[in-house]
Amino acid sequence: MGFQSVGYRTSRGRMWAVALGVGLVGALVIGVIAASTAGNTVEETRAGVGQGSVTGYDITSVHYSLNSLDATKVDAVSFVLDAGPPAGTTVRIKLFEASPNWYDCTISGVSALCTTTSPQATVVEITELVVVAAQ
């Protein structure tokens, strides 16, 4: 029983060599994956829940600037807000509810100036002034 054929020992040795090779390749792949992910960094972020009041602005001193050559066209709308909006606040207007056109405004302190020339606003289409201010 102590005697084994040379062919049996050779095939058994090949099996061990194949198993060892597969194990080494697997370890190498895992090592490469671990090394490629080890260098990733993620910036610190914040998340939370809170609540606060949302209040609007009181708008006063509304003025429509007519075009100097055609008084049926409105070149700008200006108004005063009751408080200066924080930096980065976007202020826009539209001149009638169904209008797809929103006009950007520039803010200086509490004063707003909104150019209404692209597309050109006309007096006949103005039925209301909608002001939106968002931070």
Side-chain angles (χ1 to χ4, degrees):
M1 279 208 137
F3 178 74
Q4 296 176 348
S5 72
V6 175
Y8 176 72
R9 277 190 272 156
T10 306
S11 66
R12 187 173 169 197
R14 285 185 190 153
M15 251 194 298
W16 277 106
V18 169
L20 182 60
V22 168
L24 288 174
V25 169
L28 181 63
V29 168
I30 289 171
V32 168
I33 291 171
S36 68
T37 61
N40 292 340
T41 57
V42 178
E43 292 182 17
E44 186 177 318
T45 58
R46 295 177 180 228
V49 175
Q51 67 184 41
S53 298
V54 177
T55 59
Y57 291 95
D58 288 331
I59 306 295
T60 58
S61 304
V62 177
H63 178 76
Y64 298 90
S65 298
L66 301 179
N67 182 287
S68 61
L69 300 175
D70 184 351
T72 66
K73 296 178 181 177
V74 178
D75 287 344
V77 178
S78 60
F79 51 88
V80 175
L81 302 161
D82 65 332
T89 299
T90 299
V91 178
R92 292 183 170 171
I93 65 166
K94 69 178 183 172
L95 302 173
F96 62 98
E97 186 177 350
S99 175
N101 303 319
W102 286 91
Y103 299 100
D104 292 328
C105 303
T106 56
I107 303 295
S108 177
V110 295
S111 299
L113 177 64
C114 314
T115 304
T116 57
T117 55
S118 182
Q120 182 70 57
T122 60
V123 173
V124 71
E125 69 187 4
I126 299 174
T127 58
E128 66 183 345
L129 175 62
V130 178
V131 177
V132 174
Q135 202 173 352

